[in-house]
Each structure stands twice: as C-alpha cells, then as structure tokens.
Amino acid sequence: MITRISTPYSYSSAVVAGDYVYLGLHRGFGENFTEQIHNTLLYLKGTLSECGMSLESLVKVNVYLKNIKDLPEMEKVFLEYFEMNKFPARMTSTTEFFDNDCLMMIDGVAYKATEKRD
C-alpha cells in the first residue's frame, strides 16, 4: 500500500511505501543558515512523527547547501539531532535554489521496522 502525506514545508509529499518513508525536499526558514537547518530538521521531525517515526528512523539523507562554507555548521548541528555514530547515511552537495532566501534543503528515506511477517 502506498500513502502520500502532504508536508507543508517541502516541495513534494512524503510517500509511505511499506516500511519506508520517502521524504520530499524539506526546507527551513530563517535569517541565516543556522536558523534554517534547525527549522528544516524540526519540519522533518514533524513529517516523520505523522508516520509514527522519529529522526532516528532516517537511514539516508541528501543535504543540499547553497554555500559550501555552511558545511561545518551543518555537521555541528547534526550532532545536536543525532547520536554520535548513529547518523543516517548522508550525501551533501551544493546547488542554487529558485528561492533566493533558501540556504539549504534536505530529503531522505526513513525505515520503520514492523512485526515479522510470515
């Protein structure tokens, strides 16, 4: 069964397919990169909570930065949301965004273990 979940701060729905949730691009808002990444991670938490999951359920994320100089701050903030050595697999790249105020976006895949099937 496939379920689509409208997410107010992303550019596409989250799609639940079996034990997996595919998260569309989430973005945050704020005056600077630090505010935006915290905001984005809070929105991701909100989307995952609608599926009965948490950030710990993330198995893969793609992080898109407008400015590569924000990479050290991104890594520092990730330590506030994920336990050391329990990060999701991550790919980080830089890109331009259509919205001039957008400094970063994240998409990813989360996994929810269900009861063992026969």
Side-chain angles (χ1 to χ4, degrees), residues 9-95:
Y9 299 105
S10 71
Y11 286 89
S12 67
S13 300
V15 177
V16 180
D19 293 339
Y20 292 90
V21 176
Y22 299 88
L23 298 160
L25 284 165
H26 279 61
R27 69 160 293 180
F29 297 89
E31 297 296 317
N32 58 52
F33 180 82
T34 303
E35 289 177 13
Q36 285 194 22
I37 190 168
H38 282 287
N39 202 249
T40 300
L41 288 166
L42 289 175
Y43 292 146
L44 278 171
K45 276 178 81 168
T47 299
L48 289 168
S49 72
E50 287 185 48
C51 302
M53 302 166 99
S54 64
L55 286 177
E56 291 78 26
S57 303
L58 285 170
V59 294
K60 171 77 170 109
V61 293
N62 300 306
V63 181
Y64 303 94
L65 305 176
K66 183 173 185 175
N67 302 303
I68 192 64
K69 68 177 179 59
D70 291 324
L71 180 61
E73 179 66 11
M74 183 210 71
E75 290 178 339
K76 181 179 135 191
V77 171
F78 262 58
L79 289 170
E80 296 177 36
Y81 289 86
F82 301 96
E83 290 182 47
M84 183 64 80
N85 300 321
K86 292 189 178 181
F87 298 108
R90 186 185 81 212
M91 187 281 303
T92 306
S93 64
T94 59
T95 190

